[in-house]
Amino acid sequence: MDVAEVLGLLGAGMLAGVVGTVVSLASIVSYPALLAFGLPPLTANVTNTVALTFHGVGAAFGSRPELAGQGGRILRLGMMTLIGGAVGSALLLMTPSDTFEAIAPWLIAVASLLLVRAPGTAGGLRDEDGWAARAALFGVAVYIGYFGAAGGILMFAVLSAVLDQTPVRINAIKSVVSSLANAVASVGFAFFGPVQWSAVAPLSLGFFLGGLLGPPIARRLPGRALRLGTAACGLLVAIKLGLDAYA
């Protein structure tokens, strides 16, 4: 890659990292950027997943106040996302992505509408160690490992239903546990997927820096604004993906 392409991917990664931390839409910026630089769709998808792991690392550093005392919770939730991410990446390597492309708009639209609901109306999901919460986390992690578009919104919606915490703390946990799904998927892609490693390096650095810069921005947003802003972006993405899938 030439210098302009490296700088372009670095900038795209930084923007995607900030957007991903604030409104859970990192891939909506980074994936089209990889396509614009000439990568085929499957290559762009797996390359983006590998680089996204570093977004979680940057967000973890930037979200230290929100993550304080949450180590045990992240470990419990992260186990489900690790397993789900592994299953999703295996499915991607063995099957076409047409099915997920068809259902993704509906998943994202439903998750976005769930974010609009008043806090404290989660029903059975409120037990973070219950089977319903674990199943929901596993399902979202499979989605992230397989297709991933707006997976952060799905994870934010599930965690908002599971955890009785402020949106900014939930957002921080979302960044970390989502990155675990990306990390385990990246292992499979590194061995068996068409990863474009020359693009991974600048994009990963951009994701890391954007992950550092995003939490202070999210911290200054009112909780309701963070939820509703994420929901609005999610609905727009659902409409766009729906047009792409069904037009």
Side-chain angles (χ1 to χ4, degrees), residues 8-17 19-20 25-37 39 44-45 47-49 51-52 55 148-149 199 203-204 206-207:
L9 284 175
L10 177 64
M14 288 183 65
L15 177 60
V19 171
L25 284 173
S27 293
I28 300 304
V29 176
S30 55
Y31 179 71
L34 290 169
L35 294 177
F37 281 100
L39 274 65
N45 190 8
T47 300
N48 186 62
T49 296
L52 266 170
H55 172 256
L203 191 63
S204 297
F207 270 135

Side-chain angles (χ1 to χ4, degrees), residues 19-209:
V19 171
T21 306
V22 178
V23 290
S24 306
L25 284 173
S27 293
I28 300 304
V29 176
S30 55
Y31 179 71
L34 290 169
L35 294 177
F37 281 100
L39 274 65
L42 178 60
T43 301
N45 190 8
V46 298
T47 300
N48 186 62
T49 296
V50 173
L52 266 170
T53 304
F54 293 86
H55 172 256
V57 177
F61 275 103
S63 302
R64 289 191 301 274
E66 289 76 25
L67 296 175
Q70 305 253 38
R73 172 174 288 113
I74 290 173
L75 181 62
R76 292 195 305 273
L77 300 177
M79 288 301 297
M80 296 307 300
T81 59
L82 278 170
I83 297 170
V87 172
S89 63
L91 287 173
L92 176 65
L93 294 172
M94 294 187 295
T95 63
S97 60
D98 293 349
T99 301
F100 268 71
E101 289 173 359
I103 66 174
W106 302 102
L107 289 172
I108 295 164
V110 170
S112 300
L113 291 173
L114 287 175
L115 289 175
V116 177
R117 65 153 175 54
T121 58
L125 282 184
R126 182 60 73 192
D127 179 9
E128 64 185 82
D129 293 319
W131 68 268
R134 290 175 182 270
L137 286 170
F138 175 79
V140 172
V142 171
Y143 173 85
I144 290 173
Y146 189 104
F147 188 65
I153 287 178
L154 295 173
M155 185 65 73
F156 186 59
V158 169
L159 291 175
S160 294
V162 170
L163 303 177
D164 186 16
Q165 298 199 30
T166 63
V168 70
R169 285 173 68 86
I170 292 172
N171 203 40
I173 296 171
K174 175 267 302 178
S175 295
V176 176
V177 298
S178 295
S179 73
L180 293 175
N182 287 318
V184 72
S186 298
V187 174
F189 295 156
F191 284 101
F192 304 109
V195 178
Q196 184 68 39
W197 292 105
S198 60
V200 167
L203 191 63
S204 297
L205 179 58
F207 270 135
F208 177 79
L209 295 174

